[in-house]
Amino acid sequence: MRLLEYQAKELLREAGIPIPRGGRASSEEEVLSIASRIGFPVVLKAQVPVGGRGKAGGVVVAESEESAVREARRILSSKFGGHLPESLLVEEFVPVERELYVGFVLDRSARTITLLATPYGGVDVEEAASEHPESLLRVSLDPLVGLLPHHARRVADALLPGTELKRDLERIVMVLWRLSAGLDAVLLEVNPLAVAGGGLVALDARIEVDDSALFRHPELPRPPPSWRSPREARAAELGVSYVELDGDIGTIANGAGLAMATMDAVAMAGGRPANFCDVGGGASAERVKGALELVFSNPRVSVLLFNALCGITRGDEVARGIVAAVRELGLSPERIVVRLDGNMAEEGIAILEEAGLKALRSFREAVREAVSRAGR
Ligand code: GDP
Ligand code: MN
């Protein structure tokens, strides 16, 4: 889950990192009232869950009331990366001397957290990093040990050699690390971390919290429902794991491992899976029905392969859920192939066959059948 800039900055401020003065506004009146408090010029910033706003016109400086109103109106009615701004952040304009970059990013394949830092921060940080590769500092942090003071000193030596701000930067790097680790962040970056007026100030902040750790953070704001696609939102309501892919064979399985194996088997048989969907162990007929409805609401899906290996889950319960869904949704039985094995499989297969559905015990045969029904 990505926090909006104003939410991320609030966490930085609470942790003792300087941020510009300002506030969040949802209307032109609020923009003007904040501007009159902090004084012109002000910076107006679109609050959207995507980066690159500076280059897209979502971050602008306004020198007067008229331009603030005009720009606020424009930004609030424009989309950035497909998102209408939730609000505007109105901040004092900070005269910047230098723009640094500091970030912590989870490296899943190396199972570490990488500390990244460069003296060439700002909106062109990617280009700067490829132009000056030697200036990009990368330090792999053992997640169990975390950031040590000498790491922070390396950052300060690389970014602000020989300046009086080194100690400040060391402190900020340590604080950012503690914040990132405490939030279970998969990404925390400050870009730019500006040198301004003899101090350091975080002009932008991006924080992404691991979705799987959100339950540990009831204090964090939740993303508005509009950020999710309707099918993802529905899946979350149903309590099923659902990831959409671009194929045409829908898949549902009980258990994440089986769901992955089902997608692999479909692909190996020459088909293209339309989604990953795990209804979990012990799924009720109600949840099974919800999952079918969800998978078939994707217009690309031609055929569904339902793969149920029943242990705790009862085969007859799964079968009843499938039959109920087929009836209520008015689905053609031709579009569904069920592989059912394990606990109460015989009873389940009888229920499915009575409803005119194809039901098989063999995984391999069920995959073949689904792929051939999809016309491949
Ligand atoms: P992003 O493009 O979405 O990452 O948005 P940022 O918040 O990083 O803003 C884009 C750029 O605007 C920054 O990299 C700065 O160069 C500039 N900027 C933002 N706020 C200020 C400010 O108060 N003073 C100055 N001089 N520049 C600012
Ligand atoms: Mn930025």
Side-chain angles (χ1 to χ4, degrees), residues 2 5 45 51-54 59 101 122-123 125 189-192 203-206:
R2 179 166 174 161
E5 179 190 6
K45 312 185 75 175
R53 298 165 303 162
V59 178
Y101 171 100
V123 293
V125 67
E189 66 176 24
V190 176
N191 182 34
L203 286 194
D204 188 16
R206 171 169 171 187

Side-chain angles (χ1 to χ4, degrees), residues 95-106:
V96 169
E97 291 149 40
R98 293 180 57 187
E99 297 189 321
L100 315 176
Y101 171 100
V102 178
F104 294 93
V105 50
L106 174 69

Side-chain angles (χ1 to χ4, degrees), residues 309-329:
L309 183 58
C310 299
I312 306 166
T313 320
R314 294 170 49 137
D316 56 335
E317 176 97 2
V318 171
R320 265 190 282 277
I322 296 173
V323 170
V326 169
R327 295 226 170 96
E328 281 174 43
L329 304 172

Side-chain angles (χ1 to χ4, degrees), residues 5-22 171 175-176 179 202 205 207:
E5 179 190 6
Y6 78 86
Q7 297 164 335
K9 276 180 165 162
E10 182 55 28
L11 295 171
L12 259 55
R13 192 186 60 75
E14 285 168 10
I17 293 177
I19 58 167
R21 288 183 307 138
R171 184 190 69 86
V175 171
L176 288 176
L179 191 59
I207 297 179

